[in-house]
PDB file of all heavy atoms in Angstrom:
ATOM      1  N   GLY A   1      80.634  46.769 108.704  1.00  0.00           N
ATOM      2  CA  GLY A   1      81.635  46.157 107.833  1.00  0.00           C
ATOM      3  C   GLY A   1      81.667  46.783 106.451  1.00  0.00           C
ATOM      4  O   GLY A   1      82.735  46.989 105.878  1.00  0.00           O
ATOM      5  N   ALA A   2      80.504  47.083 105.909  1.00  0.00           N
ATOM      6  CA  ALA A   2      80.450  47.727 104.583  1.00  0.00           C
ATOM      7  C   ALA A   2      81.071  49.118 104.636  1.00  0.00           C
ATOM      8  O   ALA A   2      81.834  49.503 103.738  1.00  0.00           O
ATOM      9  CB  ALA A   2      79.011  47.803 104.094  1.00  0.00           C
ATOM     10  N   ALA A   3      80.772  49.872 105.691  1.00  0.00           N
ATOM     11  CA  ALA A   3      81.349  51.216 105.832  1.00  0.00           C
ATOM     12  C   ALA A   3      82.865  51.132 105.945  1.00  0.00           C
ATOM     13  O   ALA A   3      83.598  51.869 105.269  1.00  0.00           O
ATOM     14  CB  ALA A   3      80.756  51.918 107.049  1.00  0.00           C
ATOM     15  N   LEU A   4      83.354  50.231 106.785  1.00  0.00           N
ATOM     16  CA  LEU A   4      84.804  50.113 106.982  1.00  0.00           C
ATOM     17  C   LEU A   4      85.497  49.575 105.733  1.00  0.00           C
ATOM     18  O   LEU A   4      86.570  50.054 105.367  1.00  0.00           O
ATOM     19  CB  LEU A   4      85.091  49.211 108.184  1.00  0.00           C
ATOM     20  CG  LEU A   4      86.560  49.038 108.547  1.00  0.00           C
ATOM     21  CD1 LEU A   4      87.248  50.378 108.781  1.00  0.00           C
ATOM     22  CD2 LEU A   4      86.699  48.150 109.765  1.00  0.00           C
ATOM     23  N   THR A   5      84.884  48.617 105.075  1.00  0.00           N
ATOM     24  CA  THR A   5      85.476  48.066 103.855  1.00  0.00           C
ATOM     25  C   THR A   5      85.559  49.132 102.763  1.00  0.00           C
ATOM     26  O   THR A   5      86.591  49.265 102.097  1.00  0.00           O
ATOM     27  CB  THR A   5      84.675  46.845 103.370  1.00  0.00           C
ATOM     28  OG1 THR A   5      84.730  45.839 104.393  1.00  0.00           O
ATOM     29  CG2 THR A   5      85.223  46.280 102.080  1.00  0.00           C
ATOM     30  N   GLY A   6      84.503  49.904 102.603  1.00  0.00           N
ATOM     31  CA  GLY A   6      84.530  50.981 101.609  1.00  0.00           C
ATOM     32  C   GLY A   6      85.577  52.033 101.934  1.00  0.00           C
ATOM     33  O   GLY A   6      86.349  52.453 101.059  1.00  0.00           O
ATOM     34  N   PHE A   7      85.615  52.450 103.185  1.00  0.00           N
ATOM     35  CA  PHE A   7      86.571  53.475 103.602  1.00  0.00           C
ATOM     36  C   PHE A   7      88.006  52.979 103.424  1.00  0.00           C
ATOM     37  O   PHE A   7      88.838  53.659 102.821  1.00  0.00           O
ATOM     38  CB  PHE A   7      86.308  53.862 105.065  1.00  0.00           C
ATOM     39  CG  PHE A   7      87.231  54.921 105.572  1.00  0.00           C
ATOM     40  CD1 PHE A   7      87.081  56.241 105.181  1.00  0.00           C
ATOM     41  CD2 PHE A   7      88.264  54.599 106.432  1.00  0.00           C
ATOM     42  CE1 PHE A   7      87.945  57.229 105.629  1.00  0.00           C
ATOM     43  CE2 PHE A   7      89.134  55.569 106.892  1.00  0.00           C
ATOM     44  CZ  PHE A   7      88.969  56.884 106.497  1.00  0.00           C
ATOM     45  N   SER A   8      88.307  51.790 103.925  1.00  0.00           N
ATOM     46  CA  SER A   8      89.679  51.293 103.837  1.00  0.00           C
ATOM     47  C   SER A   8      90.071  50.959 102.397  1.00  0.00           C
ATOM     48  O   SER A   8      91.238  51.112 102.022  1.00  0.00           O
ATOM     49  CB  SER A   8      89.874  50.084 104.753  1.00  0.00           C
ATOM     50  OG  SER A   8      88.996  49.042 104.418  1.00  0.00           O
ATOM     51  N   SER A   9      89.113  50.554 101.577  1.00  0.00           N
ATOM     52  CA  SER A   9      89.416  50.306 100.155  1.00  0.00           C
ATOM     53  C   SER A   9      89.863  51.590  99.472  1.00  0.00           C
ATOM     54  O   SER A   9      90.783  51.577  98.644  1.00  0.00           O
ATOM     55  CB  SER A   9      88.195  49.733  99.440  1.00  0.00           C
ATOM     56  OG  SER A   9      87.904  48.454  99.924  1.00  0.00           O
ATOM     57  N   GLY A  10      89.221  52.699  99.817  1.00  0.00           N
ATOM     58  CA  GLY A  10      89.636  53.988  99.264  1.00  0.00           C
ATOM     59  C   GLY A  10      91.054  54.345  99.681  1.00  0.00           C
ATOM     60  O   GLY A  10      91.857  54.843  98.868  1.00  0.00           O
ATOM     61  N   LEU A  11      91.393  54.104 100.937  1.00  0.00           N
ATOM     62  CA  LEU A  11      92.753  54.388 101.411  1.00  0.00           C
ATOM     63  C   LEU A  11      93.784  53.506 100.719  1.00  0.00           C
ATOM     64  O   LEU A  11      94.874  53.972 100.347  1.00  0.00           O
ATOM     65  CB  LEU A  11      92.840  54.187 102.925  1.00  0.00           C
ATOM     66  CG  LEU A  11      92.068  55.176 103.781  1.00  0.00           C
ATOM     67  CD1 LEU A  11      92.086  54.744 105.243  1.00  0.00           C
ATOM     68  CD2 LEU A  11      92.636  56.575 103.633  1.00  0.00           C
ATOM     69  N   LEU A  12      93.448  52.240 100.537  1.00  0.00           N
ATOM     70  CA  LEU A  12      94.389  51.346  99.867  1.00  0.00           C
ATOM     71  C   LEU A  12      94.512  51.672  98.380  1.00  0.00           C
ATOM     72  O   LEU A  12      95.589  51.531  97.806  1.00  0.00           O
ATOM     73  CB  LEU A  12      93.993  49.890 100.090  1.00  0.00           C
ATOM     74  CG  LEU A  12      94.190  49.434 101.538  1.00  0.00           C
ATOM     75  CD1 LEU A  12      93.616  48.042 101.746  1.00  0.00           C
ATOM     76  CD2 LEU A  12      95.650  49.485 101.942  1.00  0.00           C
ATOM     77  N   ALA A  13      93.437  52.125  97.762  1.00  0.00           N
ATOM     78  CA  ALA A  13      93.526  52.570  96.366  1.00  0.00           C
ATOM     79  C   ALA A  13      94.445  53.785  96.264  1.00  0.00           C
ATOM     80  O   ALA A  13      95.268  53.873  95.347  1.00  0.00           O
ATOM     81  CB  ALA A  13      92.141  52.888  95.818  1.00  0.00           C
ATOM     82  N   LEU A  14      94.326  54.698  97.214  1.00  0.00           N
ATOM     83  CA  LEU A  14      95.229  55.858  97.260  1.00  0.00           C
ATOM     84  C   LEU A  14      96.672  55.381  97.369  1.00  0.00           C
ATOM     85  O   LEU A  14      97.555  55.862  96.653  1.00  0.00           O
ATOM     86  CB  LEU A  14      94.873  56.756  98.444  1.00  0.00           C
ATOM     87  CG  LEU A  14      95.843  57.897  98.691  1.00  0.00           C
ATOM     88  CD1 LEU A  14      95.308  59.169  98.062  1.00  0.00           C
ATOM     89  CD2 LEU A  14      96.066  58.100 100.168  1.00  0.00           C
ATOM     90  N   TYR A  15      96.913  54.428  98.237  1.00  0.00           N
ATOM     91  CA  TYR A  15      98.255  53.863  98.417  1.00  0.00           C
ATOM     92  C   TYR A  15      98.784  53.273  97.109  1.00  0.00           C
ATOM     93  O   TYR A  15      99.904  53.566  96.688  1.00  0.00           O
ATOM     94  CB  TYR A  15      98.207  52.801  99.520  1.00  0.00           C
ATOM     95  CG  TYR A  15      99.441  51.948  99.606  1.00  0.00           C
ATOM     96  CD1 TYR A  15     100.597  52.452 100.195  1.00  0.00           C
ATOM     97  CD2 TYR A  15      99.458  50.647  99.125  1.00  0.00           C
ATOM     98  CE1 TYR A  15     101.744  51.667 100.290  1.00  0.00           C
ATOM     99  CE2 TYR A  15     100.591  49.860  99.218  1.00  0.00           C
ATOM    100  CZ  TYR A  15     101.729  50.372  99.795  1.00  0.00           C
ATOM    101  OH  TYR A  15     102.864  49.597  99.880  1.00  0.00           O
ATOM    102  N   LEU A  16      97.985  52.459  96.458  1.00  0.00           N
ATOM    103  CA  LEU A  16      98.428  51.792  95.236  1.00  0.00           C
ATOM    104  C   LEU A  16      98.584  52.742  94.057  1.00  0.00           C
ATOM    105  O   LEU A  16      99.397  52.498  93.165  1.00  0.00           O
ATOM    106  CB  LEU A  16      97.457  50.661  94.873  1.00  0.00           C
ATOM    107  CG  LEU A  16      97.464  49.485  95.856  1.00  0.00           C
ATOM    108  CD1 LEU A  16      96.316  48.530  95.542  1.00  0.00           C
ATOM    109  CD2 LEU A  16      98.799  48.756  95.831  1.00  0.00           C
ATOM    110  N   ARG A  17      97.820  53.843  94.053  1.00  0.00           N
ATOM    111  CA  ARG A  17      97.881  54.802  92.939  1.00  0.00           C
ATOM    112  C   ARG A  17      98.917  55.900  93.150  1.00  0.00           C
ATOM    113  O   ARG A  17      99.066  56.759  92.288  1.00  0.00           O
ATOM    114  CB  ARG A  17      96.502  55.445  92.738  1.00  0.00           C
ATOM    115  CG  ARG A  17      95.478  54.469  92.239  1.00  0.00           C
ATOM    116  CD  ARG A  17      94.096  55.090  92.221  1.00  0.00           C
ATOM    117  NE  ARG A  17      93.345  54.540  91.128  1.00  0.00           N
ATOM    118  CZ  ARG A  17      92.512  55.222  90.372  1.00  0.00           C
ATOM    119  NH1 ARG A  17      92.299  56.501  90.591  1.00  0.00           N
ATOM    120  NH2 ARG A  17      91.872  54.642  89.398  1.00  0.00           N
ATOM    121  N   THR A  18      99.589  55.888  94.287  1.00  0.00           N
ATOM    122  CA  THR A  18     100.597  56.908  94.587  1.00  0.00           C
ATOM    123  C   THR A  18     101.972  56.242  94.559  1.00  0.00           C
ATOM    124  O   THR A  18     102.379  55.588  95.531  1.00  0.00           O
ATOM    125  CB  THR A  18     100.331  57.563  95.956  1.00  0.00           C
ATOM    126  OG1 THR A  18      98.986  58.053  95.978  1.00  0.00           O
ATOM    127  CG2 THR A  18     101.299  58.704  96.220  1.00  0.00           C
ATOM    128  N   PRO A  19     102.708  56.390  93.453  1.00  0.00           N
ATOM    129  CA  PRO A  19     103.983  55.673  93.296  1.00  0.00           C
ATOM    130  C   PRO A  19     104.987  55.908  94.432  1.00  0.00           C
ATOM    131  O   PRO A  19     105.727  54.987  94.786  1.00  0.00           O
ATOM    132  CB  PRO A  19     104.525  56.205  91.961  1.00  0.00           C
ATOM    133  CG  PRO A  19     103.307  56.625  91.213  1.00  0.00           C
ATOM    134  CD  PRO A  19     102.358  57.154  92.259  1.00  0.00           C
ATOM    135  N   ALA A  20     105.005  57.075  95.015  1.00  0.00           N
ATOM    136  CA  ALA A  20     105.979  57.352  96.080  1.00  0.00           C
ATOM    137  C   ALA A  20     105.717  56.548  97.347  1.00  0.00           C
ATOM    138  O   ALA A  20     106.602  56.437  98.209  1.00  0.00           O
ATOM    139  CB  ALA A  20     105.970  58.842  96.419  1.00  0.00           C
ATOM    140  N   LEU A  21     104.531  55.961  97.462  1.00  0.00           N
ATOM    141  CA  LEU A  21     104.183  55.236  98.688  1.00  0.00           C
ATOM    142  C   LEU A  21     104.597  53.761  98.666  1.00  0.00           C
ATOM    143  O   LEU A  21     104.582  53.100  99.699  1.00  0.00           O
ATOM    144  CB  LEU A  21     102.682  55.343  98.964  1.00  0.00           C
ATOM    145  CG  LEU A  21     102.156  56.748  99.231  1.00  0.00           C
ATOM    146  CD1 LEU A  21     100.662  56.703  99.521  1.00  0.00           C
ATOM    147  CD2 LEU A  21     102.911  57.418 100.374  1.00  0.00           C
ATOM    148  N   HIS A  22     104.952  53.246  97.486  1.00  0.00           N
ATOM    149  CA  HIS A  22     105.383  51.846  97.426  1.00  0.00           C
ATOM    150  C   HIS A  22     106.588  51.704  96.522  1.00  0.00           C
ATOM    151  O   HIS A  22     106.888  52.577  95.703  1.00  0.00           O
ATOM    152  CB  HIS A  22     104.237  50.925  96.981  1.00  0.00           C
ATOM    153  CG  HIS A  22     103.578  51.333  95.713  1.00  0.00           C
ATOM    154  ND1 HIS A  22     104.035  50.973  94.480  1.00  0.00           N
ATOM    155  CD2 HIS A  22     102.488  52.101  95.495  1.00  0.00           C
ATOM    156  CE1 HIS A  22     103.254  51.489  93.551  1.00  0.00           C
ATOM    157  NE2 HIS A  22     102.303  52.182  94.146  1.00  0.00           N
ATOM    158  N   LYS A  23     107.289  50.597  96.697  1.00  0.00           N
ATOM    159  CA  LYS A  23     108.489  50.337  95.904  1.00  0.00           C
ATOM    160  C   LYS A  23     108.096  50.127  94.444  1.00  0.00           C
ATOM    161  O   LYS A  23     106.992  49.645  94.158  1.00  0.00           O
ATOM    162  CB  LYS A  23     109.207  49.107  96.450  1.00  0.00           C
ATOM    163  CG  LYS A  23     109.748  49.331  97.857  1.00  0.00           C
ATOM    164  CD  LYS A  23     110.363  48.069  98.414  1.00  0.00           C
ATOM    165  CE  LYS A  23     110.846  48.330  99.841  1.00  0.00           C
ATOM    166  NZ  LYS A  23     111.329  47.113 100.476  1.00  0.00           N
ATOM    167  N   PRO A  24     108.983  50.478  93.511  1.00  0.00           N
ATOM    168  CA  PRO A  24     108.675  50.321  92.086  1.00  0.00           C
ATOM    169  C   PRO A  24     108.259  48.883  91.736  1.00  0.00           C
ATOM    170  O   PRO A  24     108.876  47.923  92.182  1.00  0.00           O
ATOM    171  CB  PRO A  24     109.983  50.694  91.386  1.00  0.00           C
ATOM    172  CG  PRO A  24     110.701  51.554  92.376  1.00  0.00           C
ATOM    173  CD  PRO A  24     110.318  51.030  93.732  1.00  0.00           C
ATOM    174  N   ARG A  25     107.184  48.757  90.980  1.00  0.00           N
ATOM    175  CA  ARG A  25     106.654  47.467  90.518  1.00  0.00           C
ATOM    176  C   ARG A  25     106.406  46.486  91.670  1.00  0.00           C
ATOM    177  O   ARG A  25     106.610  45.284  91.535  1.00  0.00           O
ATOM    178  CB  ARG A  25     107.580  46.858  89.460  1.00  0.00           C
ATOM    179  CG  ARG A  25     107.666  47.684  88.171  1.00  0.00           C
ATOM    180  CD  ARG A  25     108.679  47.149  87.190  1.00  0.00           C
ATOM    181  NE  ARG A  25     110.039  47.023  87.703  1.00  0.00           N
ATOM    182  CZ  ARG A  25     110.890  48.050  87.900  1.00  0.00           C
ATOM    183  NH1 ARG A  25     110.521  49.275  87.626  1.00  0.00           N
ATOM    184  NH2 ARG A  25     112.097  47.829  88.363  1.00  0.00           N
ATOM    185  N   SER A  26     105.971  47.020  92.810  1.00  0.00           N
ATOM    186  CA  SER A  26     105.760  46.191  93.993  1.00  0.00           C
ATOM    187  C   SER A  26     104.585  46.736  94.808  1.00  0.00           C
ATOM    188  O   SER A  26     104.264  47.914  94.717  1.00  0.00           O
ATOM    189  CB  SER A  26     107.026  46.211  94.857  1.00  0.00           C
ATOM    190  OG  SER A  26     106.818  45.565  96.087  1.00  0.00           O
TER     191      SER A  26
END
């Protein structure tokens, strides 16, 4: 669980930090 949580948290951080991947201000 710790390995998966760490790995997926990194992917979601990438998602949130890449503006082209999500709608503006959303």
Side-chain angles (χ1 to χ4, degrees):
L4 182 55
T5 298
F7 181 74
S8 59
S9 293
L11 292 172
L12 291 173
L14 173 98
Y15 168 77
L16 292 171
R17 292 173 147 218
T18 306
L21 297 181
H22 53 86
K23 295 176 182 174
R25 295 174 304 285
S26 173

